[in-house]
Amino acid sequence: MTSAFDRRTLLVGLLAGAALAGTGIAVSPGSGVPRSAPRPAPPPRPLAVPPLAPSTSDGGVRTFRLTAAPGSAALLPGAATPTWGYGLPFGGPTLRAARGERVRVHVTNRLPETTTAHWHGMTLPAAADGGPHQPIDPGATWSPEWTVEQPAATLWYHPHPHGATERHVHRGLSGLFLLDDADGPVTALPHRYGLDDIPVVVTDRTFTADGAFDEEHRSAHGLVGDTVLVNGTVAPYLTATTARVRLRLLDASPARSYRFARSDGRPLLLVGTDSGLLPAPLAVPDVQLTPGERAEVLLDLEPGRPVVLRSLPQDLGAVSGTERSAGASDTLDVLRILPADVLEPAPPLPEVLPHEPGPDPAAVTAARRLELGDDTIDGRTMDTGRIDAVVPAGAVEVWEIANTHTRPHNLHVHDARGQVLSAAGRDVPAAERGWKDTVYVAPRTTTRVLLRFGRHTDPHTPYMYHCHLLYHEDRGMMGQFVVVEPGGRAGPVRTRAGVGPHGGGHHG
Ligand code: C2O
Ligand code: CU
Ligand code: CU
């Protein structure tokens, strides 16, 4: 009885709170974020879970197909939102593969313009990376292929066309790419996809009066919305049937950061970061993610007792008072979790997790310093014909990333995984050193990260490093590096290789 009452109270409360926010989810008074046109509050809806992408075995290669196409999504009651998606109106299916597997993805472009498909967090040959140098023209199919050679992690995929990434992602193009270890999912953790292992792809949008995504009103950070979508669901709730759930959190927003916490004040159990599991579960009060970052957290639940995953106000360390327009002062209800009255019990929490030790600091062969400025890195904007750095295959390097600017930025490095050594003058303790490929750098601070690069060499095809606030990236806050044999040199940049209107060809 109590729980039924709680649940009704919760829904009523949700509706009341939503009414205050115009389109939906709580936006704090005074938020500097562009506001959606007023409309009736959207009713709570069950969280959509993206389907697992089917695959075929093609000569031992696990083969997926993705098609990027325009569509229309019923995100708000009584409105159809024009969207782009990968076989879904918004978002894309979840790709899943295991370490050691050979994978191929046929990506077909049915959009009215050129796109790309980038596998964020993946160690792979540069020609398969899907950055600006692997364009897929309208009507073409691009078919990259590689071998998964990294541990279990929550990766994702999204377009990366130079200068247009924010628009393509904002219209709805992104999906998850889950990696398992060679022996399958970690069974000590909740691992039943959609049942107790839940994708939570968090984005934000502002809606116009006719229900379209607002692509016009941008702050200095880019497109920041007043309405949260999880897996493309506005006002989502999750009905839980197990006493422990694992949430795979991805900040897929163009510019907004989140500080995730439980509404009941209990800690989150952090088990994974961008590109791997932690050595052991870590109880933390909250988890902050900036665009592109991921975290895997466990929530222990009580029968019939709802809990809300919230985003709390954050200190992004902005110097110039621009935090409000980044949404940093907002409190957001991200996902309501409604546990059933009877829950399947959870096994004891594992004391250790399958964790790959970090790069060996003794193996460091180079230290680089990067300066993030106002839409620049090291005082320059992106030039697709310029190679900014040459990295020997398999190198371990320290990247010292200094944000010399007054606004928040982060840095994502392709084909690399590593651990944060220090951030804003604080050393990161070993227990918190999760595997990362995207790191936050607060204004006027320096983040030091130990990175291990992949072993695939190609002197002609660059990988990217960039701010993952997509507007900044599009404006040129990006550089290029090639991975070469030790002692090798960078060649001239090769671009548009093997992609044509008839497509289908894998190029090397
Ligand atoms: Cu998630 Cu270079 O991108
Ligand atoms: Cu990436
Ligand atoms: Cu930036």
Side-chain angles (χ1 to χ4, degrees):
M1 294 315 285
T2 316
S3 61
F5 176 77
D6 283 354
R7 208 165 299 149
R8 192 167 56 240
T9 312
L10 174 85
L11 294 178
V12 169
L14 178 70
L15 288 166
L20 294 173
T23 43
I25 300 293
V27 169
S28 318
S31 168
V33 169
R35 301 295 295 268
S36 291
R39 66 174 59 244
R45 284 185 183 173
L47 175 71
V49 173
L52 286 169
S55 61
T56 55
S57 177
D58 186 350
V61 182
R62 185 184 284 281
T63 304
F64 300 94
R65 286 175 194 282
L66 292 174
T67 300
S72 166
L75 303 177
L76 301 172
T81 304
T83 52
W84 287 0
Y86 294 107
L88 300 174
F90 183 91
T94 298
L95 277 59
R96 185 159 201 165
R99 187 171 196 165
E101 276 192 301
R102 187 99 186 139
V103 297
R104 182 187 300 139
V105 192
H106 297 294
V107 188
T108 299
N109 180 4
R110 300 260 174 255
L111 303 170
E113 60 186 86
T114 298
T115 189
T116 82
H118 168 59
W119 321 105
H120 180 130
M122 201 78 73
T123 299
L124 80 186
D129 192 41
H133 297 283
Q134 291 85 40
I136 316 170
D137 290 332
T141 296
W142 178 60
S143 304
E145 183 182 317
W146 69 95
T147 301
V148 176
E149 51 189 41
Q150 62 193 96
T154 300
L155 310 186
W156 65 303
Y157 61 94
H158 62 79
H160 217 300
H162 184 46
T165 294
E166 185 194 47
R167 184 159 46 82
H168 286 219
V169 172
H170 191 258
R171 290 186 177 176
L173 292 170
S174 66
L176 288 175
F177 200 139
L178 307 185
L179 296 184
D180 294 311
D181 286 329
D183 52 359
V186 178
T187 52
L189 296 175
H191 59 281
R192 290 167 294 178
Y193 182 82
L195 177 73
D196 58 6
D197 181 356
I198 313 290
V200 180
V201 178
V202 184
T203 61
D204 60 329
R205 298 290 184 272
T206 293
F207 290 91
T208 64
D210 54 4
F213 294 143
D214 186 339
E215 296 183 347
E216 302 300 320
H217 297 98
R218 215 183 245 101
S219 73
H221 314 277
L223 291 167
V224 184
D226 67 350
T227 304
V228 170
L229 289 78
V230 181
N231 306 339
T233 310
V234 176
Y237 67 87
L238 172 72
T239 306
T241 58
T242 60
R244 181 176 298 143
V245 292
R246 172 194 198 169
L247 304 183
R248 295 181 186 253
L249 305 170
L250 158 65
D251 180 355
S253 305
R256 188 188 271 278
S257 300
Y258 302 85
R259 183 163 72 92
F260 295 104
R262 292 177 62 136
S263 56
D264 57 9
R266 290 174 62 179
L268 294 167
L269 291 166
L270 182 66
V271 293
T273 51
D274 296 349
S275 34
L277 295 173
L278 285 176
L282 185 71
V284 293
D286 52 49
V287 171
Q288 182 164 4
L289 296 184
T290 66
E293 290 184 289
R294 289 87 69 206
E296 297 185 27
V297 295
L298 307 181
L299 278 72
D300 284 341
L301 305 171
E302 307 295 334
R305 186 170 301 171
V307 57
V308 184
L309 182 74
R310 287 215 167 106
S311 179
L312 303 177
Q314 308 153 69
D315 180 8
L316 291 173
V319 175
S320 54
T322 58
E323 293 201 311
R324 276 175 53 252
S325 60
S329 56
D330 295 341
T331 299
L332 304 165
D333 285 355
V334 175
L335 177 63
R336 306 223 158 213
I337 302 169
L338 308 180
D341 291 337
V342 178
L343 297 177
E344 180 186 316
L349 197 63
E351 278 169 28
V352 294
L353 295 167
H355 163 81
E356 185 192 36
D360 180 2
V364 170
T365 49
R368 296 177 202 266
R369 181 182 160 87
L370 269 71
E371 287 196 2
L372 310 183
D374 185 5
D375 293 335
T376 61
I377 298 180
D378 294 330
R380 311 191 281 205
T381 55
M382 165 77 163
D383 177 344
T384 52
R386 183 187 70 220
I387 291 171
D388 299 284
V390 179
V391 175
V396 175
E397 300 192 347
V398 174
W399 283 32
E400 188 173 293
I401 309 150
N403 182 350
T404 60
H405 190 228
T406 55
R407 282 199 286 266
H409 297 291
N410 68 13
L411 194 83
H412 166 51
V413 185
H414 291 206
D415 195 46
R417 303 160 49 235
Q419 298 179 333
V420 178
L421 298 173
S422 68
R426 168 184 175 266
D427 286 338
V428 177
E432 297 170 26
R433 279 192 194 168
W435 283 97
K436 298 289 293 169
D437 56 49
T438 307
V439 298
Y440 183 56
V441 192
R444 306 266 162 82
T445 72
T446 296
T447 296
R448 288 171 59 246
V449 49
L450 187 62
L451 289 174
R452 186 199 288 147
F453 289 81
R455 297 190 174 277
H456 299 278
T457 58
D458 183 343
H460 304 286
T461 310
Y463 299 100
M464 308 293 131
Y465 55 88
H466 56 89
C467 178
H468 218 290
L469 279 71
L470 302 178
Y471 181 57
H472 296 173
E473 173 185 344
D474 283 344
R475 286 174 58 91
M477 208 169 169
M478 177 151 63
Q480 310 196 105
F481 69 99
V482 287
V483 174
V484 299
E485 295 297 345
R489 298 220 311 243
V493 174
R494 184 197 294 147
T495 193
R496 299 192 73 92
V499 178
H502 304 297
H506 160 67
H507 64 84

